[in-house]
Every structure is written in C-alpha cells, then in structure tokens.
Amino acid sequence: MQRILTATLVLSLGVSQAQKVDSIVIGVAVAQTSNTALLGQEQVIGAKFAEKYLNARGGINGTPFKLVFQDTGGDEAGAINAFQNLITKDRVLGIVGPTLSQQAFASDPIADRARVPVLGPSNTAKNIPQIGDFIARVSAPVAVVAPNAVKQALKLDPKIKNVAVLYAQNDAFSTSETGTFQETAKAQGLNVATVQKFQTTDTDFTTQVTAVLNSNVQLVIISGLAADGGNLVKQLRQLGYKGLIIGGNGLNTSNMFPVCQQLCDGVIIAQAYSPAQASAANQVFVKDYTAQYKKAPPQFAAQAYAGVQVMVEALRVIDRKKKLNTWELPALRVELNRQILAGKYNTPLGPISFDKEGEVNQAEFYVAQIKMKDAKTGSFVYLK
Ligand code: 1QQ
C-alpha cells in the first residue's frame, strides 16, 4: 500500500512539473493596503512603468510579459500569503518584493525553499541576501546608504555635537538602520546623548520627544516607517525642537507629507536613487514619470522599476539560448536565478550587478532634503 501511494505521488508530481511555461509572468508582492502602502504605492507605480516600457520595447524578445500583483499588506502574514499565491497559484517565474525587511525575513524563506528567485525592491536591513541562494536585492543596504545623511547634516551644521537617536523596535529594517546611524554618529565624533524606542503602530510620541528636548541635542535621527516617522517629526516640531532632523529610508516618501505637513520641512534623507542620474534608462523613466505625475520619480518607484527590469533582461538572455516556452517551470526558475546574478544592468539606479550572495553592487548614492511649499505640497531637493 505504502509503495503504491508513493508511486502515485511521484507520478502526479512528474506530470505537473513537466508542464511547459506557457506565459511569462513575474510576481510583484508589495504593500497595497495598510500604513505600509504609503511606501508600497510608489512601488506599484514603478513596477507598472517597467511593464509598460519594457513591453513596448519588445518584452521578452517579441513576447510580452505580464506582472501579477499580490497585496502583502503591512505584516509578515500578508507577505507570506502573497508569496504563496504567486508561487503556487500564479506560477510566477520570479518575485519582486516584499516592501519591508520585516516581511522579507518571513516570506523570503518560502520562496527560497520553493526555488523561486526573489529581488527585494526595498529590503535594506542587514542579512537580507543571506536568507538564501534565491534571494537578492536591488535595494542597497542601510550600512551603505544611511551614513551619507549624517555626513550631509554635519556639512549643513558643523557645530553639531549631541545627537538623539530614535527607532521603531518592532521593525527589522529600523533596528538595522539605527545600528548604522549610531555607529556613524560615533565615528564622526558625535555624542549619542539619548536613544529612544517606539513602535511603528505608535501615534503619541510625547515621552520620546520630552527625552529629546531634555538632552540638548542639535541633531535627531529617526529610523521608523512613514506614518509613525511623520508623526514623530510633527510632534518634535510642535513641542519645540529646532535642530536638524535626519529621517531614515522609511520616511523616504512624499506620502509622508499629509502626516507632518509643513513640519516635514527640512528633514534630511539619504537616497539610493536620483532623478539626475545620467543613464539613458533613467532619463527616459524620469521623462515618462514626470509627464504622468507632474513630479520626479521617488526612490521606491525607481527601485521597483529596476527589480522588474533585472528579471526581464535576465529572461531575455535565457530566451535567446532556449525559448522560454520550451522550459519546465522549476528549471526555468533556477536558471532565472542564476542569470540574474550573472548579469549587468543599466537601470534608473545607474549600472548595477550582484555579488555571489545576491547583494547589489551600486556606485552612486545621494542625500535629499524635504522642502515644503505649503501644508500639502513639497519636494525632495537633492543636496550637493
Ligand atoms: C526596509 C526598508 C523600508 C523602509 C522600505 C520601504 O528599507 O524595510 O528594509
């Protein structure tokens, strides 16, 4: 009996695996709902731009590809569910996602075990590529990006001596980024006068702001996400903090403007993307994006674009050697992962490639400062 069962199982697995790839589908798993959608919305836009642009230029050597979106929401369970749907129901070749590192640590191991390549579009915490062989990212790590903001703050105000550091302790990215910020501050000779913790779900920051005001600092550095981070900025200003503020990557969106409004003004944020990046790929992206949205593209849109572009260009290379519709899905996923890591890509982020663990190699980073025109409208001004 046992033997018969085993034989049946092997046979049915064999049949489903032998099915050829009949459509070219790439999964996008980002936050379309919850507070995390303040960040994820820009990723949806960036990915759709890539789909439209790259399909208009031939798709995969003449065959269009399709993006399938699964909403991750803002938590781990949502990311796991989205990944499972993409892998088994939508039968995607690879996944661009999820939005948060906190989610990636939960969902990426599922894709890794299923041997489905993942490109993190905005997963910047330490140890993301190390989750597994099938996990890479186009989003440069906080360790590389965040120090630029501290150096820029010191350029703007060389008299800074004392720093307050605040971070969301329930978020993997925020705890990783604050580590980098604290190390950088010390390496720059600054005194970390107070370290304050909060939760990404917090809305009242009176305790933390009081501690900041009592510690006589000239710089505040925040690692959190957009809603909590925006409220924290707002309450710091309302309660009388006058010095410079650095926001981390979780505050890196104009979707924070409705939260802190005019009080967002002056926040300094390091960038892994600049609309001024000179590559042809970027200039086309900037032109199309600006025509549609009347503003320059933000980093999260550019990174999601790059994630889709990398998958597409890797698929083009594979297809030239052996047509995609002659592959079986499991083998094509493995080959796609290999090709992603082998290639070089001219993206809106500039030229990128990957090291053997899946960490992105990227050369150029920037710092921007929020400039509010009024309570509703503002922009990211890139600093020299
Ligand atoms: C991470 C991040 C987020 C702030 C991006 C949206 O960098 O979770 O790693």
Side-chain angles (χ1 to χ4, degrees):
M1 183 61 189
Q2 182 61 44
R3 204 177 283 165
I4 294 169
L5 264 180
T6 314
T8 318
L9 191 68
V10 168
L11 193 66
S12 61
L13 263 179
V15 169
S16 77
Q17 299 218 345
Q19 214 177 314
K20 297 282 189 266
V21 171
D22 52 9
S23 58
I24 306 168
V25 184
I26 297 168
V28 181
V30 296
Q32 295 175 268
T33 56
S34 84
N35 274 345
T36 306
L38 295 175
L39 308 156
Q41 264 170 10
E42 297 185 336
Q43 301 181 302
V44 172
I45 293 170
K48 284 188 174 160
F49 257 91
E51 183 182 34
K52 192 167 157 218
Y53 178 82
L54 297 167
N55 272 332
R57 276 151 194 78
I60 314 294
N61 309 324
T63 307
F65 69 93
K66 192 169 169 301
L67 295 184
V68 177
F69 289 82
Q70 289 283 353
D71 177 15
T72 61
D75 62 6
E76 296 88 332
I80 288 171
N81 192 40
F83 269 51
Q84 279 170 338
N85 279 331
L86 290 173
I87 293 166
T88 46
K89 189 165 79 48
D90 302 320
R91 295 170 52 81
V92 300
L93 301 181
I95 298 174
V96 176
T99 299
L100 302 178
S101 292
Q102 179 72 27
Q103 296 175 301
F105 286 118
S107 60
D108 286 7
I110 290 166
D112 192 60
R113 280 196 293 275
R115 301 165 74 77
V116 176
V118 173
L119 281 174
S122 55
N123 309 136
T124 63
K126 197 172 164 187
N127 288 333
I128 291 283
Q130 290 73 22
I131 291 171
D133 291 347
F134 285 79
I135 312 303
R137 61 175 159 193
V138 297
S139 40
V142 286
V144 173
V145 182
N148 296 299
V150 179
K151 290 171 195 159
Q152 186 67 51
L154 281 168
K155 247 174 149 180
L156 293 176
D157 182 0
K159 292 207 282 292
I160 294 170
K161 285 268 170 313
N162 296 321
V163 186
V165 175
L166 302 94
Y167 72 97
Q169 62 177 334
N170 63 332
D171 179 65
F173 145 77
S174 299
T175 53
S176 181
E177 193 191 50
T178 197
T180 294
F181 275 135
Q182 292 179 45
E183 282 163 27
T184 308
K186 286 173 198 153
Q188 295 288 323
L190 302 174
N191 168 43
V192 178
T194 181
V195 177
Q196 294 292 316
K197 299 173 192 169
F198 58 93
Q199 307 278 332
T200 51
T201 46
D202 285 349
T203 52
D204 179 354
F205 298 94
T206 315
T207 311
Q208 291 87 350
V209 173
T210 306
V212 170
L213 294 173
N214 287 337
S215 57
N216 185 33
V217 298
Q218 299 83 40
L219 174 65
V220 169
I221 307 179
I222 301 170
S223 293
L225 301 179
D228 47 317
N231 271 314
L232 184 43
V233 168
K234 179 166 109 181
Q235 291 171 35
L236 275 162
R237 293 305 188 203
Q238 283 174 335
L239 294 172
Y241 174 68
K242 297 256 176 343
L244 282 173
I245 299 177
I246 289 175
N249 200 38
L251 284 71
N252 197 0
T253 172
S254 58
N255 290 332
M256 188 179 69
F257 296 172
V259 184
C260 40
Q261 304 189 0
Q262 207 117 33
L263 300 177
C264 301
D265 194 72
V267 174
I268 299 165
I269 306 180
Q271 305 289 328
Y273 168 71
S274 165
Q277 212 289 330
S279 70
N282 187 42
Q283 288 316 307
V284 176
F285 176 54
V286 170
K287 190 163 155 277
D288 292 356
Y289 189 101
T290 310
Q292 193 167 333
Y293 291 97
K294 313 293 170 224
K295 62 178 182 188
Q299 176 202 276
F300 292 124
Q303 288 176 320
Y305 185 113
V308 173
Q309 182 188 345
V310 167
M311 293 249 174
V312 167
E313 290 190 6
L315 287 169
R316 284 174 179 164
V317 174
I318 297 169
D319 178 75
R320 269 186 236 118
K321 295 185 205 151
K322 177 169 154 34
K323 281 271 151 233
L324 295 190
N325 62 9
T326 67
W327 287 83
E328 288 163 19
L329 183 59
L332 183 52
R333 284 167 165 173
V334 171
E335 178 61 9
L336 175 57
N337 190 56
R338 194 198 60 72
Q339 184 58 45
I340 285 170
L341 297 181
K344 289 192 163 73
Y345 311 89
N346 278 315
T347 72
L349 309 174
I352 62 170
S353 61
F354 302 93
D355 74 10
K356 61 180 192 314
E357 287 195 306
E359 184 63 279
V360 66
N361 297 314
Q362 180 183 347
E364 295 167 58
F365 301 98
Y366 317 85
V367 179
Q369 188 168 30
I370 295 175
K371 189 90 213 125
M372 297 304 293
K373 217 163 84 193
D374 51 49
K376 284 205 184 100
T377 40
S379 58
F380 284 80
V381 178
Y382 282 71
L383 303 172
K384 296 236 166 47

